[in-house]
Amino acid sequence: MLTQRPRGTADLLPGEVESWRRLEDTFREVCRTYHYQEIRTPIFEHTELFARGVGETTDIVEKEMYTFEDHGERSLTLRPEGTAGVVRAFVENKLYGNPDLTKLFYIGPMFRYEKPQKGRWRQFHQYGVEVLGSEAPDVDAEVIALGATFLERLGLGRVQLEMNSVGCAECRPRHREAMVAALRPVADRLCADCQSRLERNPLRIFDCKNESCQALLREVNAPTVLDCLCDACAEHFDAVKRLLQETGVSYTVNPRLVRGLDYYTRTAWEFIVPGYSTVAGGGRYNGLVAEVGGPETPGVGFAGGLERALLVLQEQGIHPAQKSALAVYIAVADDTAATTAARLLQQVREAGISADRDYQNKGLKAQFKAADRLGARFVLVLGENEVAAGTVSVKDLTTGEQVAVAQDQLVSYLSTRV
RNA sequence: GUGAGUAUGGCGAAGUGGUUAACGCACCGGAUUGUGGUUCCGGCAUUCGUGGGUUCGAUUCCCACUACUCACCCCA
């Protein structure tokens, strides 16, 4: 236990961290061009915020939250997603007072108590954006375009955008009723999972992999949400689709697409890597700000998983970044050169050139091996001879050539060659 | 929460109810003087996830636990 990380967590070792940084840098850069600003909110919040915001009946709230009590007997929860905290910060800091739209992005760890498996962790990381203050379909389209641009720039390759509209407080209940009404009479012919879905989230039945359930849906001619959309929602959805077409973002409409959080209204979408899984998802949430106690404010956003994006990249054989190479390795051939070596090492480093040395009293041969292993470009050899002559032997490992350089010329010699 | 599989040195991976647990990679040392990447030679698990049990004897058989992996539910 002592030497074992908690289940569902991961150590990011040197060599992996570089890939993460590249992804984060790319996301920040895309957000900059879309003019979104970074926000950092706490990793834990009052439990109530997620219960209310994400939805009491969602799986996240029902069984996946990391909840604990602090010494003041407050119930706190490690954030399972990013939107609730951002919306809370928006309300608490009265960002709604800003005459402009609030356009934010974030990157950080999220926590869900789940059984870990491929691409699924208890501590995982999401990048995401939220726009607060506009109902315009143009904003939905912008947020989607931002996500598509990011995934494309990452090099994820074939990513599909699936779109749906889940309606609003007016049309959604209507659809639910219609579906339940259609399926209730034949409920006993649904699989066990779908029978519980019928009560909890009928829309999910469309997602069932069981062919008999699909056949039953066709048989009773079950309506999709899109069939039940009110005029305003239908119009909004049409506008979003039209805008995507005009900006060159391709998509498919999937009337069976559902999202796991209660707060979504109208537009919902997922970015899917075919044959693998969803790498990002989002939607509009017009009721959430009011739900957590702020003024009626529409919002829209999306979030994606860093681990999943990285996994897809890895499976495609793309290794975004590697460990940084070392420019200079100082090899000490003789104890009498130790202080000179320390001095030169410091000078080289101060000149902005990466440099390292042996601290394990290795033989010269072993020091060369180490330099080679570390990918060093130059090895500086210092021994009795060099100290006596006031020089340093500089060997270029890529060519094998070695020259003597005056110690006081070393930095300028290296600067022009590194 | 449900189901299945796996668990041997830093990594990968063979293997057997019984004196010294293959091999590969990595690592360390050497092949005469202060020089790497190739080659050659040598070294490197009193120990087979943890705890019980069966047995004269178990790393190999049984049980429990833990962890990991995969799938389902759901999701990033």
Side-chain angles (χ1 to χ4, degrees), chain A residues 68-136:
Chain A
F68 61 96
E69 210 168 76
D70 71 4
H71 295 306
E73 294 176 352
R74 286 170 283 256
S75 180
L76 301 171
T77 294
L78 262 28
R79 62 183 188 194
E81 56 96 55
T83 304
V86 170
V87 166
R88 193 226 81 235
F90 172 82
V91 174
E92 180 168 350
N93 296 288
K94 301 183 169 54
L95 301 186
Y96 47 77
N98 188 326
D100 299 316
L101 284 191
T102 303
K103 310 204 322 184
L104 303 166
F105 78 88
Y106 59 86
I107 304 176
M110 307 293 165
F111 305 83
R112 290 183 201 173
Y113 190 88
E114 293 192 273
K115 213 161 187 177
Q117 61 189 61
K118 195 175 191 185
R120 176 188 220 137
W121 304 84
R122 289 186 171 180
Q123 175 177 337
F124 60 104
H125 298 75
Q126 289 189 330
Y127 54 85
V129 310
E130 314 290 351
V131 180
L132 293 147
S134 172
E135 229 173 333

Side-chain angles (χ1 to χ4, degrees), chain A residues 216-274:
Chain A
L216 198 55
L217 283 172
R218 286 191 294 271
E219 186 184 317
V220 301
N221 209 1
T224 67
V225 231
L226 288 183
D227 295 331
C228 301
L229 248 35
C230 65
D231 289 348
C233 286
E235 204 173 297
H236 183 91
F237 191 44
D238 285 341
V240 174
K241 289 186 290 186
R242 198 167 55 240
L243 286 157
L244 287 177
Q245 274 160 15
E246 277 171 23
T247 48
V249 177
S250 53
Y251 64 87
T252 56
V253 172
N254 175 3
R256 314 181 317 185
L257 187 147
V258 205
R259 307 239 67 232
L261 307 154
D262 278 357
Y263 52 64
Y264 286 115
T265 55
R266 293 192 167 170
T267 325
W269 69 88
E270 289 186 359
F271 290 103
I272 296 169
V273 175

Side-chain angles (χ1 to χ4, degrees), chain A residues 21 24 26 38 101 165 192 202 266 271 354 365 373 389 415:
Chain A
R21 296 220 7 197
E24 290 162 6
T26 303
E38 182 163 3
L101 284 191
S165 174
R266 293 192 167 170
F271 290 103
S354 63
K365 186 191 184 78
R373 194 164 47 228
S415 299

